[in-house]
């Protein structure tokens, strides 16, 4: 059914055409609540061109409107804005359609569109750190949004599984005589990595052996490859534990995947005349990119020793994603520190003629740092920034304490499940609800508050909605088969209009990729629901059926919204 905003845009554009013969898209936007529901600002612009009084242009637009019965009030304000207030009858009929729409009023895509969301992307032999956690949470949410809107989404984990650092790790593993059939954990691997690094820095002979292992690995020597595969497998098991706890799915396609393409990519760029040699390194100079001194900033694609780098891999990746995956939209989620890198990759891909912005859209979704309550870079209890699993388990533990305070004899099995849903949900929600480009402060106490913009408050609201339906005890499908929503009370109208705006919020989110649009929306939804429930009796009232259906629609929108955020719900709390 699409959004009301697009519907109004269409109607007002028609009205512009029939009044003035102009084919322009009407400028419609949501209003501040006290002025009505939507406003149209087109009269002012039209009046300029037509050299007419904007208020009389506005009046003509209103006169030519086909759908006057949708509104209880249409007002010209100020120099020529038009304010629209939807009538309760129209709004009610919209909600009665919305509840039957599988997309709940959002607009899914009408053809198959391939899309890549690349996120998480940790590095082998290193544990995920909080930055990777943010990438995982934000990326998963963005992927869920587009999956809901029926895009064909490929979720890629661009793992850092290649590079010269593997040489020293392999040399160390050989030196220690570790067997690849042996069981090892990610923390052990990290320990070896640190030890190998130390050996590398201190012992020139070890350094030589490490460099030799790099060459062996690059020429696919079976022994080096076997050890490398083992290292990757151990790492993978470590990450998987975290993805499982978070409920996140990812397809692993690490940097090594693009190895076979690196040489060709550099060759192609050279053939296109884009490459210049500077200090022995092959570089691409792109317009508009300068360093701090104002000198042209190169994108290095092959180092002077002939080695390829992070940028070469990313160029191969974007090329592969456009031509092999046939992606029409590509989103990469990393810390905001990499934003210049991605702007340069996108610009280079455009210059190479691979990326045509008419056909594909690319976005780097950057995010800020995670800070501890002290305002410094976040550290877990053990003092190591890397122990991500501890951080998640700690959140679950905090949630458990909170539940026990309220309900000391909670049943152990339920307690366990509820603590996990609340704890993990709280971590995700705290991240998603802060504007992603800013640094955000991590605090267990704040994220687990019952009041305010938190996961706990939303999950509690959901439980309350379930409770109302349980208490009334009617079969909701039966009620819906014989009754309709009929809004009357101002709190009902306010909740109803907010419900109908679900699709608008998802459209906004898909455009700028800020998940906090959705959290803000759900928070207001919960508040409006609580106001409605305070002001309007449901059980045993004359309006019982209508209000029950309104609750059901609220429940569905809230559930769908939480599911896009990656939050599970519970029936009781
Ligand atoms: N592995 C990188 C890191 O830990 C992130 C990879 C981001 N994706 C990319 N295509 N460069 O910072």
């Amino acid at each position: 059914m699409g959004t009301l905003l697009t519907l109004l845009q269409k109607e007002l554009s028609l009205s512009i055409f029939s009044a003035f013969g102009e084919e322009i898209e009407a400028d419609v936007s949501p209003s501040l609540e006290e002025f009505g529901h939507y406003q149209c600002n087109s009269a002012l612009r039209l009046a300029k061109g037509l050299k007419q009084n904007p208020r009389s242009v506005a009046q003509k637009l209103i006169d030519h409107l086909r759908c006057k019965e949708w509104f209880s009030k249409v007002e010209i304000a100020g120099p020529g804005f038009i304010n629209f207030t939807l009538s309760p009858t129209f709004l009610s009929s919209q909600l009665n359609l919305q509840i039957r729409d599988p997309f709940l009023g959002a607009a899914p895509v009408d053809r198959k569109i391939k899309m890549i969301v690349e996120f998480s992307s940790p590095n082998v032999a290193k544990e995920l750190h909080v930055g990777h956690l943010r990438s995982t949470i934000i990326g998963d949410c963005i992927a869920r949004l587009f999956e809901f809107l029926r895009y064909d989404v490929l979720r890629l984990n661009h793992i850092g599984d290649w590079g010269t650092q593997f040489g020293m790790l392999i040399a160390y593993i050989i030196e220690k005589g570790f067997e690849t059939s042996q069981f090892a954990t990610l923390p052990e691997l990290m320990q070896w990595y640190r030890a190998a690094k130390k050996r590398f820095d201190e012992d020139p002979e070890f350094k030589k052996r490490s460099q030799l292992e790099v060459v062996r690995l690059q020429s696919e020597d079976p022994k080096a490859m076997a050890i490398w595969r083992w290292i990757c497998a151990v790492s993978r098991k470590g990450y998987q534990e975290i993805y499982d706890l978070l409920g996140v799915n990812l397809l692993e396609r690490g940097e090594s995947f693009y190895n076979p393409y690196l040489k060709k990519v550099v060759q192609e760029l050279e053939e296109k005349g884009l490459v210049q040699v500077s200090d022995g390194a092959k570089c691409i100079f792109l317009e508009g990119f300068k360093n701090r001194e104002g000198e042209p900033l190169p994108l290095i694609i092959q180092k002077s020793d002939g080695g390829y780098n992070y940028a070469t891999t990313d160029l191969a990746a974007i090329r592969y994603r456009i031509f092999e995956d046939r992606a029409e939209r590509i989103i990469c989620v990393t810390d905001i520190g990499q934003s210049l890198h991605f702007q340069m990759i996108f610009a280079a891909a455009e210059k190479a003629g691979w990326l045509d912005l008419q056909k594909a859209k690319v976005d780097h979704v950057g995010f800020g740092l995670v800070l501890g309550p002290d305002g410094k870079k976040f550290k877990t209890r053990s003092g190591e920034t890397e122990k991500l699993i501890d951080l998640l388990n700690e959140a679950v533990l905090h949630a458990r304490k909170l539940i026990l305070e309220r309900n000391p004899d909670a049943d152990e099995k339920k307690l366990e499940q509820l603590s996990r849903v609340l704890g993990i949900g709280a971590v995700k929600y705290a991240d998603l609800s802060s504007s992603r480009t800013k640094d955000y402060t991590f605090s267990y106490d704040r994220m687990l508050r019952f009041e305010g913009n938190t996961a706990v408050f939303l999950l509690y609201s959901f439980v309350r909605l379930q409770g109302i339906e349980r208490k009334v005890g009617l079969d909701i499908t039966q009620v819906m088969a014989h009754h309709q929503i009929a809004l009357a009370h101002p709190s009902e109208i306010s909740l109803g209009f907010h419900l109908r705006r679900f699709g608008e919020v998802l459209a906004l989110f898909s455009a700028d990729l800020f998940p906090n649009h959705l959290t803000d929306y759900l928070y207001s939804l919960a508040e409006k629901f609580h106001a409605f429930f305070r002001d309007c009796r449901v059980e045993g009232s004359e309006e019982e059926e209508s209000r029950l259906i309104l609750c059901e629609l609220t429940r569905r929108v809230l559930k769908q919204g939480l599911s896009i955020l990656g939050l599970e719900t519970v029936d009781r709390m």
Side-chain angles (χ1 to χ4, degrees), residues 118 121-123 132 158 160 255 310 314 334-335 338 341-342:
E118 183 223 272
S121 310
N123 304 309
H132 294 123
H158 191 82
E255 293 182 11
Y310 195 54
D314 269 330
T334 78
D335 63 276
Q338 300 196 34
H341 165 78
F342 279 100

Side-chain angles (χ1 to χ4, degrees), residues 274 284 286-287 289 299 315 318 341-353 355 362:
L274 302 179
I284 302 180
L286 299 151
E287 277 129 60
F289 292 95
L299 179 69
L315 285 170
I318 195 167
H341 165 78
F342 279 100
Q343 296 324 314
M344 291 181 90
I345 294 293
F346 297 158
E350 229 191 308
K351 208 165 171 186
L355 174 63
V362 289

Side-chain angles (χ1 to χ4, degrees), residues 491-545:
S491 305
E492 282 182 310
I493 295 173
S494 169
L495 172 61
F497 177 57
H498 195 69
L499 282 166
R500 187 60 184 90
R501 295 196 57 201
F502 183 52
E504 276 171 36
V505 171
L506 297 190
L508 198 63
F509 180 10
S510 4
D512 71 9
L513 307 172
F514 273 75
N516 62 314
H517 292 308
L518 181 55
T519 56
D520 288 348
Y521 169 84
L522 293 176
Y523 179 43
S524 318
L525 179 65
E527 285 197 310
K528 283 180 191 294
F529 157 68
H530 288 290
F532 151 77
F533 197 61
R534 178 196 61 212
D535 300 340
C536 304
R537 211 171 86 203
V538 179
E539 196 191 3
S541 68
E542 244 173 68
E543 301 88 348
E544 186 178 66
E545 287 90 357

Side-chain angles (χ1 to χ4, degrees), residues 59-188:
Q59 190 54 53
K60 271 194 203 125
L61 286 185
I62 298 171
D63 294 341
H64 280 83
L65 215 51
R66 301 190 305 182
C67 52
K68 294 197 185 64
E69 71 286 357
W70 292 2
F71 311 105
S72 57
K73 199 163 87 187
V74 181
E75 240 176 9
I76 303 174
F81 304 111
I82 313 173
N83 289 327
F84 296 93
T85 304
L86 301 165
S87 80
T89 326
F90 175 68
L91 206 46
S92 303
S93 68
Q94 284 288 307
L95 298 181
N96 287 315
L97 292 173
Q98 188 184 358
I99 200 167
R100 284 168 179 81
D101 176 9
F103 297 97
L104 295 167
V109 280
D110 50 14
R111 65 181 179 92
K112 201 174 146 171
I113 299 182
K114 187 68 176 276
M115 169 157 186
I116 286 175
V117 185
E118 183 223 272
F119 64 100
S120 196
S121 310
N123 304 309
V124 164
K126 296 182 184 164
E127 262 201 79
L128 275 83
H129 58 67
V130 279
H132 294 123
L133 177 67
R134 278 207 94 172
S135 174
T136 309
I137 291 172
I138 295 171
D140 178 56
C141 173
I142 291 173
R144 283 169 186 268
L145 166 73
F146 288 103
E147 282 156 358
F148 175 61
L149 297 175
R150 286 288 180 270
Y151 283 76
D152 181 8
V153 179
L154 186 58
R155 299 158 154 256
L156 290 185
N157 198 355
H158 191 82
I159 292 185
D161 63 355
W162 200 254
T164 45
Q165 77 272 23
F166 284 96
M168 58 185 192
L169 202 50
I170 294 172
Y172 183 81
I173 286 170
I174 292 175
E175 184 174 85
K176 288 278 162 190
F178 297 145
E179 288 296 328
T180 51
S181 56
Q182 192 180 319
F183 175 80
T185 63
L186 187 49
E188 276 172 308

Side-chain angles (χ1 to χ4, degrees), residues 176-308:
K176 288 278 162 190
F178 297 145
E179 288 296 328
T180 51
S181 56
Q182 192 180 319
F183 175 80
T185 63
L186 187 49
E188 276 172 308
L189 191 59
M190 289 163 56
Q191 235 165 14
W192 302 346
Y193 184 85
R194 278 193 290 266
K197 175 98 180 55
K198 199 155 169 258
R199 293 277 289 113
F200 186 89
D201 292 336
E202 285 168 0
D203 182 351
E205 199 270 324
F206 181 84
K207 189 169 170 176
K208 236 194 217 128
R209 264 189 284 145
S210 301
Q211 283 157 346
L212 204 67
E213 289 305 331
V214 175
V215 177
R216 285 210 178 114
L217 189 63
Q218 275 165 352
S219 58
E220 301 193 17
D221 168 80
K223 185 164 180 196
M225 286 294 281
I227 298 176
W228 172 73
R229 274 198 209 98
W230 181 51
I231 298 170
C232 291
V234 171
S235 279
R236 190 174 301 129
K237 247 179 102 188
Y239 312 144
Q240 198 52 47
E241 200 183 347
I242 289 160
Y243 298 144
D244 288 346
L245 193 54
L246 291 171
V248 168
N249 270 317
L250 271 158
L251 178 72
E252 182 180 327
R253 196 197 267 174
E255 293 182 11
S256 63
F257 176 89
Y258 302 100
N259 277 342
Y261 308 99
L262 302 180
K263 200 172 152 195
K264 272 186 278 177
V265 158
V266 173
Q267 256 170 19
E268 189 179 331
L269 292 168
E270 283 180 310
E271 278 159 23
K272 293 191 164 160
L274 302 179
V275 179
Q276 270 168 267
V277 177
S278 167
D279 286 334
K282 291 185 185 166
C283 304
I284 302 180
F285 287 92
L286 299 151
E287 277 129 60
F289 292 95
K290 301 230 153 62
N291 66 13
R292 253 182 247 149
E293 285 73 43
E295 294 151 3
L297 185 68
L299 179 69
I300 301 174
I301 59 166
Q302 191 169 8
K303 294 181 286 184
S304 51
D305 65 5
Y308 302 112

Side-chain angles (χ1 to χ4, degrees), residues 276-529:
Q276 270 168 267
V277 177
S278 167
D279 286 334
K282 291 185 185 166
C283 304
I284 302 180
F285 287 92
L286 299 151
E287 277 129 60
F289 292 95
K290 301 230 153 62
N291 66 13
R292 253 182 247 149
E293 285 73 43
E295 294 151 3
L297 185 68
L299 179 69
I300 301 174
I301 59 166
Q302 191 169 8
K303 294 181 286 184
S304 51
D305 65 5
Y308 302 112
N309 62 8
Y310 195 54
T312 330
T313 308
D314 269 330
L315 285 170
I318 195 167
R319 191 183 188 286
Y320 190 93
R321 290 166 185 183
I322 292 170
F323 294 110
E324 305 301 321
D325 294 320
R326 304 200 155 268
E328 291 178 54
R329 189 159 182 191
I330 302 170
I331 294 173
C332 298
V333 187
T334 78
D335 63 276
I336 215 160
Q338 300 196 34
S339 120
L340 178 65
H341 165 78
F342 279 100
Q343 296 324 314
M344 291 181 90
I345 294 293
F346 297 158
E350 229 191 308
K351 208 165 171 186
W354 302 336
L355 174 63
D356 174 353
L357 292 175
Q358 305 293 324
K359 290 189 193 144
K361 192 166 155 46
V362 289
D363 287 286
H364 171 243
V365 169
F367 52 79
L369 295 173
V370 183
L371 306 175
D374 56 357
K376 298 203 186 98
K377 233 177 144 175
F378 184 80
K379 287 194 169 55
T380 47
R381 217 172 25 168
S382 56
E384 286 185 32
T385 34
E386 307 98 295
K387 291 256 175 192
L388 199 60
I389 196 91
D390 287 355
L391 174 148
L392 295 176
N393 285 331
E394 179 99 15
V396 175
L397 212 66
H398 270 76
R400 187 186 169 96
K401 259 195 240 150
L402 187 79
I403 301 160
L404 278 174
E405 268 167 33
R406 301 201 156 214
N407 181 6
D409 5 83
D411 157 274
E412 178 55 35
K413 227 179 121 195
K414 286 211 182 101
L415 181 63
E416 212 169 278
Q417 194 225 359
L418 191 54
S419 319
R420 188 184 51 80
V421 173
L422 278 192
I424 300 296
V427 172
K428 289 188 182 182
Y429 193 88
D431 193 324
L432 297 170
S433 60
S434 62
S435 181
R436 64 169 162 78
T437 48
K438 299 202 183 106
D439 295 347
Y440 107 89
T441 307
F442 193 97
S443 153
Y444 292 114
D445 292 330
R446 185 156 356 124
M447 68 176 67
L448 282 162
R449 272 186 204 148
F450 260 86
E451 272 91 43
N453 191 8
T454 64
V456 186
F457 177 62
L458 292 189
L459 294 176
Y460 167 69
S461 306
F462 182 78
V463 165
R464 205 147 169 219
L465 277 157
Q466 304 264 82
I468 295 168
E469 292 187 17
R470 242 194 333 261
K471 191 142 178 265
V472 174
L474 295 174
D475 176 359
I476 193 71
T477 1
Q478 281 302 315
V479 177
M480 278 171 57
H482 300 103
H483 300 271
Q484 300 238 305
I485 294 175
L487 304 169
H489 191 284
S491 305
E492 282 182 310
I493 295 173
S494 169
L495 172 61
F497 177 57
H498 195 69
L499 282 166
R500 187 60 184 90
R501 295 196 57 201
F502 183 52
E504 276 171 36
V505 171
L506 297 190
L508 198 63
F509 180 10
S510 4
D512 71 9
L513 307 172
F514 273 75
N516 62 314
H517 292 308
L518 181 55
T519 56
D520 288 348
Y521 169 84
L522 293 176
Y523 179 43
S524 318
L525 179 65
E527 285 197 310
K528 283 180 191 294
F529 157 68

